[in-house]
Amino acid sequence: MPTADGRLAGKAAVITGAASGIGRASALRFAREGARLVLADTQGAAGEALVREIEQAGGTARFVCVDVGRRADNERMLGLCVERYGSLDILFCNAGVNLPKELTGSADDEIDRVLDVNVKGPLYAARHAIPIMVRQAAGGVILFTASKTGLVAQTDSPVYCASKGAVVLLAKALALDYAARGIRVNALCPGIIDTPMLHQFADAMPDPAAAWAAYSTAQPLGRLGTPEECAEAALWLVSPEASFVTGVALPVDGGFTAM
Ligand SMILES: NC(=O)c1ccc[n+]([C@@H]2O[C@H](COP(=O)([O-])OP(=O)(O)OC[C@H]3O[C@@H](n4cnc5c(N)ncnc54)[C@H](O)[C@@H]3O)[C@@H](O)[C@H]2O)c1
């Protein structure tokens, strides 16, 4: 149940990729802290069901069906937030797609799709959000979901790695450009997290069972991360408790990038 003194009380937040995995867990967590939400995703039924779940718990949320790879969809989603709630305090660009293939086997349209969703989506959203946030007395906070693969490479995912590396540097570059204008920008870098995306990734491997077993033990903490653990880190990064934190790429990876 959201409380009036929640860590995000009074804040209006947009979360992309909100219908599943890390985005869904973040939506539930932000709502509990009092945020009013615009939840954006391509998956309409799951997004609407999440809105009902949040509302039944006393929270406030709207769903908007978008493809974040399209500029106009990003603008529509952000406009809805300002129209409904009167401000845009938090933008969490979390939607992403994977491409578990070697570069030589990757088709043009597959490469375009990953770059559109993972890189151009956050670029479009941030470009539209920043002028809104700059005009607000309280500024704003932007968070991108990058990945540990934006910090260290992994095999068989060069396009995905390139996209996530771009997002890490986008966060840092925007943090520098807008620090003096009241906007903090950070990147969340999940490790291997138990979400539908990870299941799809494992299923695409030659031996899915072996791949799954390897993921489960690859991180020093000896297990997969959970969407809820990522949501806790996301909450902290967008909350006032992180008021002096900008330009950071925060691994939530059970120690993976410490190796
Ligand atoms: N699961 C992991 O191990 C892991 C690790 C590192 C980074 N990530 C990143 O975390 C983010 C969330 O992934 P997840 O693991 O929760 O996966 P997920 O598949 O559970 O959720 C991703 C969500 O994004 C939505 N989405 C995809 N393309 C979209 C588009 N064009 N427009 C709007 N919504 C779209 C999907 O419908 C889905 O609801 C992604 O950016 C992903 O790259 C995940």
Side-chain angles (χ1 to χ4, degrees), residues 11 88-91 129-142 174-186 237-240 242-246:
K11 301 292 186 192
L88 170 62
D89 303 300
I90 296 163
L91 169 61
I130 285 166
I132 298 169
M133 291 178 168
V134 165
R135 284 196 296 273
Q136 297 176 160
V141 184
I142 298 174
L174 293 178
L176 294 185
D177 283 348
Y178 296 100
R181 282 175 271 182
I183 301 176
R184 296 190 296 110
V185 189
N186 293 295
L237 284 168
V238 303
S239 75
S243 54
F244 203 54
V245 178
T246 197

Side-chain angles (χ1 to χ4, degrees), residues 118-133:
N118 293 8
V119 183
K120 288 172 79 176
L123 278 169
Y124 288 141
R127 188 177 65 176
H128 197 71
I130 285 166
I132 298 169
M133 291 178 168

Side-chain angles (χ1 to χ4, degrees), residues 215-238:
Y215 301 152
S216 301
T217 54
Q219 299 173 120
L221 286 181
R223 60 174 175 82
L224 299 174
T226 68
E228 290 73 22
E229 288 171 316
C230 293
E232 287 298 333
L235 170 63
W236 180 71
L237 284 168
V238 303

Side-chain angles (χ1 to χ4, degrees), residues 16-23 40-43 66-69 93-98 113 117-118 145-149 160 164 189-198 200:
T16 74
S20 175
I22 295 166
D41 206 290
T42 49
Q43 297 191 61
V66 304
D67 175 351
V68 298
C93 294
N94 166 75
V97 289
N98 209 330
R113 187 69 188 146
V117 174
N118 293 8
T145 300
S147 170
K148 71 170 175 54
T149 59
Y160 184 73
K164 294 301 187 178
C189 296
I192 308 173
I193 312 298
D194 190 354
T195 70
M197 177 184 283
L198 187 66
Q200 285 162 16

Side-chain angles (χ1 to χ4, degrees), residues 27-183:
L28 291 165
R29 191 69 187 90
F30 288 17
R32 269 181 22 225
E33 294 295 336
R36 295 165 298 166
L37 300 171
V38 168
L39 306 177
D41 206 290
T42 49
Q43 297 191 61
E48 296 287 4
L50 179 58
V51 166
R52 285 194 294 278
E53 188 176 339
I54 289 170
E55 287 178 341
Q56 279 162 12
T60 304
R62 300 281 304 184
F63 175 73
V64 58
C65 195
V66 304
D67 175 351
V68 298
R70 296 189 187 144
R71 178 183 53 75
D73 281 17
N74 284 283
E75 294 178 4
R76 184 162 53 87
M77 133 193 124
L78 297 170
L80 179 69
C81 184
V82 175
E83 182 192 308
R84 286 275 158 186
Y85 306 133
S87 65
L88 170 62
D89 303 300
I90 296 163
L91 169 61
F92 182 17
C93 294
N94 166 75
V97 289
N98 209 330
L99 182 59
K101 282 186 175 180
E102 288 184 26
L103 184 60
T104 50
S106 303
D108 289 3
D109 62 335
E110 292 176 320
I111 294 171
D112 287 345
R113 187 69 188 146
V114 173
L115 298 181
D116 282 352
V117 174
N118 293 8
V119 183
K120 288 172 79 176
L123 278 169
Y124 288 141
R127 188 177 65 176
H128 197 71
I130 285 166
I132 298 169
M133 291 178 168
V134 165
R135 284 196 296 273
Q136 297 176 160
V141 184
I142 298 174
L143 178 63
F144 300 128
T145 300
S147 170
K148 71 170 175 54
T149 59
L151 302 172
V152 295
Q154 72 178 32
T155 54
D156 300 324
S157 299
V159 182
Y160 184 73
C161 287
S163 74
K164 294 301 187 178
V167 168
V168 167
L169 263 294
L170 177 63
K172 290 174 185 271
L174 293 178
L176 294 185
D177 283 348
Y178 296 100
R181 282 175 271 182
I183 301 176

